[in-house]
């Protein structure tokens, strides 16, 4: 799916039950009269034992405020998995993780792995004493992140025509270039990958 040029958020995922978002774009949102989040979760009063939000291989770019936000500030939090996503040039932070009213063990069920945060106003941010489980994200590792890691930073194809099978257009925006040290720098989270280990970001290099 794609969400762009919305007055408020791109994807506002404040619903009950399991929600899985894969291979989706959110861009240029929030510039009329809204918060401008790319992907926003949380702010529900019902606590569940299982994972309720799963985001994989998604791109959030050029949004007014945060690329991805847990949005569970001072409230209950539910387990979530955010894997292999990219936040690029968002107006506040790439990934915002809030402190909640839950225990540390509960907050640690929010898991972020293999994500890229690049050229946002701030790379990532945890509010107050927030806890979350994270590894193999660009803010966790010593990878050298630069424009040269990507085939292209030209985003014009984001609004391009879908392919005949209905899938999103094949574009080079934010895809890793051969030789990038983000290739094979991820952790196996159950998604398909090639090479010695998963890559970081939304697109596996092939």
């Amino acid at each position: 799916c794609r969400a762009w040029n919305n007055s408020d958020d791109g994807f506002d995922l404040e619903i009950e039950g399991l929600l899985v978002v894969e291979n989706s774009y959110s861009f240029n949102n929030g510039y009329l009269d809204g918060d401008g989040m790319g992907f926003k979760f949380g702010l529900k009063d019902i606590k569940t034992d299982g994972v309720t939000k799963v985001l994989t291989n998604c791109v959030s770019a050029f949004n007014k405020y945060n690329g991805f936000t847990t949005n569970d500030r001072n409230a209950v939090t539910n387990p979530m998995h955010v894997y292999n996503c990219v936040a690029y040039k968002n107006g506040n932070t790439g990934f915002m993780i809030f402190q909640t009213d839950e225990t540390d063990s509960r907050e640690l069920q929010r898991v972020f792995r293999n994500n890229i945060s690049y050229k946002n106003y701030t790379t990532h941010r945890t509010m107050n004493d927030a806890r979350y489980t994270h590894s193999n994200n660009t803010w966790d590792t010593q990878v050298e992140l630069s424009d040269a890691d990507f085939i292209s930073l030209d985003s014009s194809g984001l609004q391009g025509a879908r392919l005949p099978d209905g899938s999103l257009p094949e574009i080079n925006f934010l895809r890793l270039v051969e030789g990038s040290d983000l290739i094979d720098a991820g952790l196996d989270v159950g998604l398909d990958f090639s090479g010695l280990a998963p890559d970081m970001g939304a697109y596996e290099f092939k």
Side-chain angles (χ1 to χ4, degrees):
C1 297
R2 290 180 288 193
W4 74 94
N5 291 348
N6 292 286
S7 62
D8 191 9
D9 304 312
F11 291 90
D12 198 332
L13 309 177
E14 297 177 314
I15 64 172
E16 307 297 347
L18 174 64
L19 182 67
V20 178
V21 183
E22 302 172 322
N23 308 311
S24 295
Y25 305 152
S26 182
F27 54 99
N28 296 339
N29 295 296
Y31 290 97
L32 181 58
D33 188 26
D35 293 335
M37 310 290 188
F39 293 86
K40 182 168 71 174
F41 339 127
L43 279 187
K44 283 297 178 182
D45 297 328
I46 299 175
K47 186 184 297 186
T48 64
D49 292 329
V51 175
T52 60
K53 300 292 187 297
V54 179
L55 270 73
T56 59
N57 305 105
C58 293
V59 173
S60 185
F62 311 112
N63 296 293
K64 177 182 174 183
Y65 203 56
N66 299 326
F68 299 84
T69 178
T70 63
N71 202 45
D72 44 9
R73 57 191 181 279
N74 302 320
V76 302
T77 190
N78 286 311
M80 63 181 67
H81 293 164
V82 181
Y83 299 150
N84 289 92
C85 294
V86 182
Y88 177 69
K89 283 197 173 181
N90 295 286
N92 184 42
T93 190
F95 294 81
M96 174 73 82
I97 296 92
F98 280 100
Q99 185 181 33
T100 74
D101 289 337
E102 301 292 342
T103 62
D104 287 355
S105 62
R106 183 80 178 178
E107 287 192 341
L108 286 168
Q109 294 182 58
R110 303 177 297 178
V111 185
F112 289 69
R113 302 196 193 280
N114 304 341
N115 300 296
I116 293 174
S117 186
Y118 186 51
K119 286 194 172 179
N120 305 285
Y121 184 76
T122 58
T123 299
H124 81 289
R125 182 178 298 171
T126 53
M127 296 302 292
N128 299 324
D129 198 28
R131 298 284 189 268
Y132 71 114
T133 298
H134 55 102
S135 70
N136 299 78
N137 305 292
T138 51
W139 59 91
D140 297 316
T141 66
Q142 299 301 311
V143 295
E144 295 288 338
L145 186 58
S146 72
D147 290 2
D149 282 298
F150 304 100
I151 296 175
S152 175
L153 295 176
D154 177 3
S155 63
S156 58
L158 287 173
Q159 299 182 42
R162 288 180 178 268
L163 300 180
D165 65 357
S167 58
L168 293 179
E170 289 282 348
I171 59 176
N172 287 326
F173 178 58
L174 296 174
R175 288 184 182 270
L176 298 179
V177 71
E178 184 175 4
S180 168
D181 55 359
L182 279 69
I183 295 174
D184 293 345
L187 183 74
D188 187 354
V189 294
L191 303 175
D192 291 339
F193 68 91
S194 58
L196 300 176
D199 301 339
M200 299 171 69
Y203 309 104
E204 185 74 11
F205 179 82
K206 296 179 181 179

